[in-house]
């Protein structure tokens, strides 16, 4: 395949090239635990709102480029009620057709060619594409289990840190399941206030915090001077197919995203916005139910793995287990082994960065009966450890 020079620099999307591929599996029925697609249906209130909105003739015409005022007001109310964060609905909110769009587009709106961007390792695979598209330089932001997968900016090369104009953070973490504290966000904001460096916090798994509620970076004093947060409806509200999210925070960064989308997105379909309003109105009570579902799954998995001395990173938030591979296997080799021997599909850690080489990522977004079967099959291989 012949691509342009810039597309040749972007690695193929791991999930884009692997989802839907034909798999060679063992004799048992396949259990797919590779993708974080919620296993429960979208809320009935969301479906009802969507059905009604489809018949509204105003939703079948061109809409406002930057979204309905009612949707932006719902986001404003949701952040106030959920995190105590005040937002200006006209200057501090950008509606996104899926949070991935915002995460990839943000460097185009924030850095100049040659500027540095710190990317977490291990971290979400598609951050890099945005840096390359913006002609930026990407630097390694190392994350270590012994430091709870929270970055220490003093671990970054001083010259690279001086050239950094954008930092990606992601808590709860995909793939490690680590969470951030309010104290961490306070310190990060304070460190980069008054500099040219900005922060984007990928808050896709906001709903899932098993020891305490996950903080928003915007709760930290002065955060709007330096940070935007990108929130997804896909995970917490079981709406992955709807492809709706939003960015909130620093008004200069939001203005850049809005301007870019004025030329690329031409407004979100009104019916999707109406359905999303219905989701946000469900608020924290619905998200608490979601969190409790995954807390129970987390507790079961951690208990059984601990009992059988199978090593893993502590799962404090999100929906993924970061599972250590047995000695002699890297992530890709262990994925192949589990497919052939147990018909289990998990994700190798290597696409998430070099520090993921000896891990696999396991999604807990499956029915409880499948989770039980996964554990039974994995325990058949415990002697590998």
């Amino acid at each position: 395949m012949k691509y342009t020079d810039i597309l040749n620099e972007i690695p193929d999307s791991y999930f884009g090239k692997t989802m839907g591929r034909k798999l060679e599996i063992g004799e048992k029925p396949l259990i797919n635990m590779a993708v974080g697609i919620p296993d429960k249906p979208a809320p009935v209130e969301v479906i009802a709102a969507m059905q009604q909105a489809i018949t509204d003739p105003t939703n079948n015409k061109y809409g406002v480029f930057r979204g309905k005022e009612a949707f932006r007001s719902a986001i404003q109310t949701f952040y106030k009620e959920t995190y105590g964060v005040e937002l200006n609905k006209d200057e501090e909110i950008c509606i996104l057709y899926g949070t991935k769009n915002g995460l990839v587009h943000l460097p185009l709106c924030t850095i100049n060619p040659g500027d540095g961007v710190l990317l977490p390792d291990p971290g979400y695979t598609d951050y890099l594409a945005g840096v390359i598209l913006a002609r930026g330089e990407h630097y390694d932001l190392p994350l270590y289990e012994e430091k709870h997968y929270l970055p220490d900016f003093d671990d970054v090369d001083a010259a690279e840190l001086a050239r950094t104009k954008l930092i990606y953070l992601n808590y709860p973490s995909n793939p490690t399941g680590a969470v951030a504290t309010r104290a961490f966000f306070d310190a990060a904001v304070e460190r980069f206030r008054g500099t040219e460096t900005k922060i984007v916090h990928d808050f896709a798994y906001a709903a899932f915090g098993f020891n305490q509620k996950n903080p928003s970076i915007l709760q930290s004093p002065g955060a709007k001077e330096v940070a935007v947060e990108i929130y997804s409806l896909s995970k917490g509200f079981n709406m992955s197919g709807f492809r709706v999210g939003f960015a909130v925070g620093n008004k200069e960064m939001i203005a850049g995203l809005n301007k870019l989308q004025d030329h690329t997105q031409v407004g979100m379909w009104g019916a999707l916005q109406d359905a999303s309003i219905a989701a946000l109105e469900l608020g924290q009570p619905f998200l608490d139910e979601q969190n409790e579902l995954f807390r129970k799954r987390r507790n079961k998995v951690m208990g059984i793995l601990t009992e059988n001395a199978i090593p893993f990173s502590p799962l404090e938030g999100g929906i993924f287990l970061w599972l250590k591979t047995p000695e002699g296997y890297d992530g890709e080799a262990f994925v192949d082994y589990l497919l052939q021997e147990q018909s289990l599909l998990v994700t190798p850690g290597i696409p998430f960065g070099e520090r993921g080489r000896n891990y696999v990522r396991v999604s807990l977004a499956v029915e409880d009966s499948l989770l039980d079967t996964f554990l039974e099959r994995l325990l058949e291989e415990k002697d590998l450890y």
Side-chain angles (χ1 to χ4, degrees), residues 13-133:
S13 167
Y14 175 78
F15 294 105
K17 71 180 181 181
T18 57
M19 284 186 67
R21 77 186 190 277
K22 186 175 181 180
L23 300 171
E24 296 183 5
I25 65 174
E27 298 178 354
K28 301 174 181 178
L30 176 69
I31 299 178
N32 185 347
M33 305 190 71
V35 182
I37 299 175
D39 56 295
K40 300 299 182 184
V44 294
E45 295 88 347
V46 171
I47 299 300
M50 187 76 178
Q51 291 171 328
Q52 182 176 352
I54 289 172
T55 64
D56 182 346
T58 64
N59 283 331
N60 296 311
K61 299 178 181 180
Y62 286 132
V64 178
F65 272 30
R66 299 186 178 184
K68 294 184 177 185
E69 183 172 356
F71 186 22
R72 288 183 281 112
S73 293
I75 294 169
Q76 183 184 46
T77 299
F78 175 77
Y79 251 72
K80 174 63 176 174
E81 293 180 348
T82 308
Y83 302 109
V85 172
E86 299 274 5
L87 295 171
N88 182 308
K89 67 177 184 295
D90 297 316
E91 295 185 330
E92 296 176 342
I93 296 173
C94 176
I95 294 167
L96 303 169
Y97 259 122
T99 57
K100 183 174 178 178
N101 279 348
L103 292 166
V104 173
H105 285 158
L106 198 60
L108 290 165
C109 313
T110 308
I111 69 168
N112 288 311
D115 286 343
V117 181
L118 280 177
L119 301 181
D121 180 359
Y124 182 56
T125 58
D126 284 316
Y127 298 150
L128 176 60
V131 182
I132 295 172
L133 288 170

